[in-house]
Amino acid sequence: MGSLSFLYFGTVIVLTAILVVALRKPVSSVIALLVMFFHIAGLFVTLHAEFLAAVQLIVYAGAILVLYLFVVMLLNVKEDDSYQRQFRLGMGLGLVALAEVVYIVSAAGLPEEPVREPATTAVSAGNTETVGRALYTTYLFPFEVASLILLVAMIGAIFMAKKGMMGQETPKAVQAVESK
Amino acid sequence: MTPLSSYMILSAIVFVTGVVGVLIRRNIIMILLSIELMLNATNINFVAFSYYLDNVAGQVFVFFALTVAAAEVAVGLAIIIALYRGKATIAAEELNLMKW
Amino acid sequence: MKYALIPLLPFAAFLIIGLFGHWIRERAHWIAVPAVGISFLLSAWIFTEVAKGEPIHVTLYSWIASGAFTVDIGLYIDRLTAAMLLLVTVVSGLVHVYTIGYMHGEPGYARFFAYVALFTFSMLMLVMADNFLQLYVFWEAVGLCSYLLIGHWYERKTACDAATKAFIVNRVGDFGFGLGVMLIFVVFGTLQYDQVFAHAVLIEGQTINLLKPLGGEWPVAVMTVICLLLFAGAVGKSAQVPLHVWLPDAMEGPTPISALIHAATMVTAGVFMVARLAPLYNLSPAAMDVVAVTGGVTALFAATIALTQNDIKRVVAWSTVSQLGYMMMACGLGAYVAGIYHLLTHGAFKALLFLCCGSVIIALHHEQDMRRMGGLKDRMPITYWTMLIGALTLSGVPLTAGFFSKDVILVSAWSAGTLGKTLAMVGLVTAFLTAFYSFRLLFVAFWGESRVDPHHAPHIHEPSPTMTVPLLILAALSIFTGYLGIPGFIEPVLPGPDEMAVPHEGPAATGIMLLATLMGLGGIATAYIVYVKSPGLPDRLAQQWREAYALSFNKWYVDELYDRTIVQPTVALANGLWKIVDVEVIDGMVNGVGAATVLWGRALRLVQSGEVQHYALAMALGAVAILGMYLLLLTL
């Protein structure tokens, strides 16, 4: 049962990942990415990381992808004509890297079964509570720093996207597009 | 049960796909999207390990990775918009001021 | 310390005039002449000391002390050295005085005195040396002074060329000399004369295999090798064939130094060295034969060339080469005493001849070609009469010093075996030629009608006393040195080889004496007939014997031979090395490094395309490659 779900989720994840990279229209790539996020969340649930699955959906699918769609629409991104010149080299590189990783993994001797029977732990504490407990005690400092990161990112994004703040006027081509 | 190595290979496939995407797409936005793929691949890896080694630290790490990914996307897209304002293009090949 | 003062006074004169010459200028002789004068007085005093008693040996200064190799600066004065000291100081002093008149008003006046003082110092240290290294050092020093003085008028290219030629030819000989000194150290472990002489007998049987590097067998006695190598230096310094070519060209220098260096002192250093090292040469009959034959050949060779030269200084120069040949011949046949005797008398009369030439040159405003002289004997009586005395001595006319010394040489030669007899005959022929060319010079330059340039003819007069007094003194010496009993004085110090007995009496000796006199007088008579009695005869003879005349006039084409075989290939090699090796190869390599760097830079900069994806590709490539290598290493 467990492996069946892994098989389903895994296949879809791989397929959509390839679609993201291969499709020409940006919007199609974003939609494929969305599907992939959903299945990753499903994978997290099978791994008993429910809290993360929820956060993944909210943050990634709900915020980040929406942001991407906004920008794609705003900039009216056209379809890509072709792949980059280094297409073949990149593909070859990818295959080689994959082969290396497969080799490492097969030779590594990783555990087959999880260390402890997960059924017993589900009773003692839920995933959310465990994560929360760890987050607010052991990892409190990084948690606060994370909030700072978000603050800085927000300020930076606003600053950079403001009109005329980079010290240059928008070129005539952009003005023509934006005035339409 | 599926062995841990399967999760690792899955993660590797997604990661490599992301790398290839960075290398072959001509659009900056697509490059950023491929970077998201890579981040997600590592997330899968962490969670798998966290489950198999029964250590919650993996999930905490994913939590933070998510945070950083969000911040990075925000800033990255802001940069793209600023770039677009400057050159009216988002093709990666046109942005070569660092050329010799 | 009085011994050390003899050379140090001229050296001090050199330093003072050298450093302050700019302010001293034409007063330089006030410093140089007294210095040499006092040196002369000290030499005379030492001479009496040594004559009465034992040789003097003082060590002045420990120069090198490096493990087993120790060399001190020391002075060794025995009878031979004392005689040489007198010769050097007397001739040098007279030349100093002569120069006051000869170089009067010249811009390089002080510089000349400085260098002559330096030369005097070097020559004195050379004759007083007590070890081989000191000998070598001052050997080179006199060569340096010769170079400086030949090139005194350095604005003239011929003078500079002559100076360079002298130095280089000497260097060739000095190379062999240096090897000889090194071999002495290797064989004996010491460079002191007394120690080497004491141990010389011990190595009599030892041989060196000369063909060893080539894998062959040619054992030669060590002593012979040493003596021949040292003799190479003497060949260069004393202008023997084949390294004689520098001496005639050295006439580019001022006449006073032709008299001092190239007649009386520096060129005699070679002969002096052979005599000083007589204990070594006595042990090597083969080397002595080489020395004797070289001397004989040189004597005859140079005399044939002197017959046709037109420059009066060149005639005297070739005459010097010829007489040096005589001295070498004598030493080579074991008669060191005869050689040194002739050296001492020759120093006097050859210097005299040169200074007379100088007097004529000054009087005729630097005219040196004898074809433009003539009829001078009434206008310049002192010069004429002193030159006559010099020529008589050179020709070996009886009652002059030259007669006695040349006679001793010929007699000793005759009694030295078959080789000696052959060389004695060569010597007699040369004596005839010597008389001929000496009086040719005298008759053509001083007798007959005047062929002098009409501009200068009215102004011919005797030079100042500073120039004529030395002439008179030297003329007196030319006669009286024959009566001082020099051979007997020197004999105890210079024993010949053991198996030689030199009979100075007996029918053979008298016969030789008569023959030599006949040769001398015959030469004078022939010259008289040819040049005075029959005016057109010289030209007719030159026409008839055209090839022989050309051979003699062109110095047997030795200079041309050297030029073709040695000088031009060397110059070509140098040019090749310069244009190909230095400019193309070495500069090419150095420039090539720069060019290669630039090329690499140009190639590598293409990596910076400015496109981010190219950089990302590079990073990915690197990561994959490192991972791959790591895995490969793990599996292997």
Side-chain angles (χ1 to χ4, degrees), chain C residues 2 6 30 69-70 81 98 206 273 278 281 327 434-435 450 479 537 591 618 635:
Chain C
K2 57 179 186 276
I6 300 181
W30 286 112
F69 182 54
T70 52
T81 312
Y98 183 88
Q206 280 186 24
M273 181 204 68
Y281 279 91
M327 297 178 220
T434 308
S450 173
I479 301 181
L537 190 52
N591 291 342
T635 51

Side-chain angles (χ1 to χ4, degrees), chain C residues 205-531:
Chain C
Q206 280 186 24
T207 57
I208 287 185
N209 181 5
L210 283 184
L211 284 179
K212 197 153 167 227
L214 302 168
E217 273 288 322
W218 184 20
V220 181
V222 170
M223 193 50 84
T224 309
V225 177
I226 291 178
C227 291
L228 285 177
L229 285 174
L230 293 172
F231 182 59
V235 167
K237 192 65 77 183
S238 293
Q240 304 292 297
V241 171
L243 294 177
H244 64 281
V245 290
W246 64 272
L247 189 52
D249 285 3
M251 296 301 113
E252 293 284 337
T255 312
I257 59 134
S258 301
L260 177 60
I261 298 183
H262 305 127
T265 42
M266 187 186 89
V267 292
T268 54
V271 181
F272 166 76
M273 181 204 68
V274 175
R276 164 59 72 218
L277 304 178
L280 296 183
Y281 279 91
N282 282 337
L283 291 169
S284 171
M288 285 178 74
D289 287 343
V290 171
V291 173
V293 170
T294 311
V297 168
T298 307
L300 186 58
F301 177 83
T304 58
I305 298 181
L307 296 175
T308 53
Q309 300 298 310
N310 287 323
D311 180 346
I312 48 175
K313 279 182 74 173
R314 300 260 152 143
V315 174
V316 187
W318 285 108
S319 167
T320 309
V321 177
S322 177
Q323 298 300 306
L324 288 167
Y326 263 110
M327 297 178 220
M328 271 306 179
M329 185 175 89
C331 290
L333 294 169
Y336 304 102
V337 177
I340 294 295
Y341 185 25
H342 196 58
L343 190 159
L344 293 169
T345 59
H346 174 267
F349 64 74
K350 196 44 71 65
L352 168 65
L353 282 172
F354 267 116
L355 294 184
C356 289
C357 289
S359 174
V360 169
I361 291 172
I362 282 286
L364 295 179
H365 284 272
H366 293 279
E367 175 63 67
Q368 293 186 232
D369 192 330
M370 67 165 80
R371 294 171 292 191
R372 288 198 277 274
M373 297 181 190
L376 294 174
K377 77 173 154 139
D378 305 308
R379 312 289 292 270
M380 305 177 67
I382 304 181
T383 308
Y384 170 66
W385 282 100
T386 48
M387 188 140 196
L388 179 62
I389 293 177
L392 285 172
T393 311
L394 177 55
S395 310
V397 166
L399 300 182
T400 58
F403 166 71
F404 290 114
S405 56
K406 200 179 282 193
D407 181 60
V408 175
I409 292 183
L410 291 171
V411 169
S412 314
W414 185 262
S415 34
T418 338
L419 179 64
K421 289 192 173 41
T422 330
L423 288 175
M425 308 242 252
V426 168
L428 285 168
V429 173
T430 314
F432 174 79
L433 295 174
T434 308
F436 181 80
Y437 67 65
S438 314
F439 276 86
R440 166 179 178 260
L441 174 61
L442 198 74
F443 292 144
V444 173
F446 287 89
W447 287 35
E449 300 138 30
S450 173
R451 294 182 298 279
V452 178
D453 184 358
H455 276 290
H456 298 138
H459 306 293
I460 302 176
H461 61 90
E462 279 293 357
S464 58
T466 50
M467 288 171 68
T468 49
V469 167
L471 293 180
L472 291 169
I473 298 179
L474 282 172
L477 282 174
S478 302
I479 301 181
F480 290 116
T481 41
Y483 297 94
L484 294 176
I486 295 181
F489 178 74
I490 303 242
E491 180 134 23
V493 203
L494 288 180
D498 297 322
E499 50 290 348
M500 199 186 93
V502 184
H504 287 284
E505 319 297 325
T510 334
I512 296 284
M513 197 188 322
L514 283 174
L515 257 180
T517 316
L518 259 167
M519 289 291 163
L521 293 173
I524 300 177
T526 321
Y528 184 72
I529 297 173
V530 172
Y531 286 100

